[in-house]
Amino acid sequence: MLNISGIHEGFVLDHIKAGMGLQIYEDLGLRQLGCPVAIIQNARSNKMGEKDIIKVECPVESLNLEILGFIDHNITVNVIEDDNIVEKRELRLPMEVKNIIHCKNPRCITSVEQELDHIFVLTDPENEVYRCRYCETKYKR
């Protein structure tokens, strides 16, 4: 049996789709935090069959919940203090995302103005559809 030690203060990302752990590690920039990180892949789950789990020993404030909510709003964020879960945060789709996705429309102003932020607004929460703030190009998650 695999044994990963507990963490004193930090957070655990649970209910990650199997195989997505490393991608989320990269997207969240966890390498740059310089904190201990454990990525567990293909763990057994009664709810999901298989899942990935990420344990990070650093304050949860260093986590960008907006990016995480955009990546997969079904992930559970367990906040750990003094070796105990003190809070479970549910994620939701953010109303607006900045510089997470890029507009693919070659005529969009963001294609010409390189320093302009790529901003997408959630226009259809039920179908998880975002639109570019500048040209209205659709992006479906």
Side-chain angles (χ1 to χ4, degrees):
M1 178 169 177
L2 180 65
N3 185 15
I4 303 289
S5 66
I7 55 177
H8 182 66
E9 179 183 353
F11 55 89
V12 176
L13 304 179
D14 198 1
H15 303 111
I16 300 171
K17 289 179 188 168
M20 292 297 297
L22 287 175
Q23 183 64 47
I24 289 174
Y25 173 82
E26 293 297 330
D27 290 345
L28 292 177
L30 294 177
R31 181 186 316 272
Q32 289 76 20
L33 290 180
C35 303
V37 176
I39 301 172
I40 304 161
Q41 293 186 305
N42 302 315
R44 282 185 228 126
S45 168
N46 292 331
K47 181 178 177 182
M48 302 173 67
E50 288 186 334
K51 66 180 179 179
D52 288 359
I53 303 167
I54 301 176
K55 291 181 162 187
V56 183
E57 191 159 9
C58 70
V60 73
E61 290 78 33
S62 56
L63 178 66
N64 186 337
L65 293 178
E66 204 171 86
I67 290 175
L68 194 56
F70 177 76
I71 294 169
D72 185 352
H73 60 280
N74 295 311
I75 294 172
T76 304
V77 180
N78 298 309
V79 180
I80 311 294
E81 290 178 8
D82 297 322
D83 300 313
N84 296 307
I85 297 174
V86 296
E87 180 183 358
K88 287 187 178 239
R89 296 188 185 174
E90 298 290 323
L91 300 175
R92 60 181 93 103
L93 285 171
M95 295 305 294
E96 181 178 282
V97 292
K98 185 190 294 187
N99 297 327
I100 296 173
I101 49 179
H102 297 281
C103 189
K104 297 190 188 291
N105 180 355
R107 294 184 179 181
C108 182
I109 188 71
T110 59
S111 296
V112 178
E113 300 291 333
Q114 299 299 320
E115 66 280 347
L116 200 58
D117 287 327
H118 292 257
I119 302 172
F120 280 73
V121 178
L122 182 63
T123 56
D124 184 356
E126 189 174 312
N127 295 309
E128 301 180 1
V129 174
Y130 285 83
R131 290 193 182 271
C132 176
R133 174 178 277 174
Y134 307 105
C135 71
E136 297 292 314
T137 295
K138 184 165 75 169
Y139 176 87
K140 178 150 174 42
R141 277 189 3 96

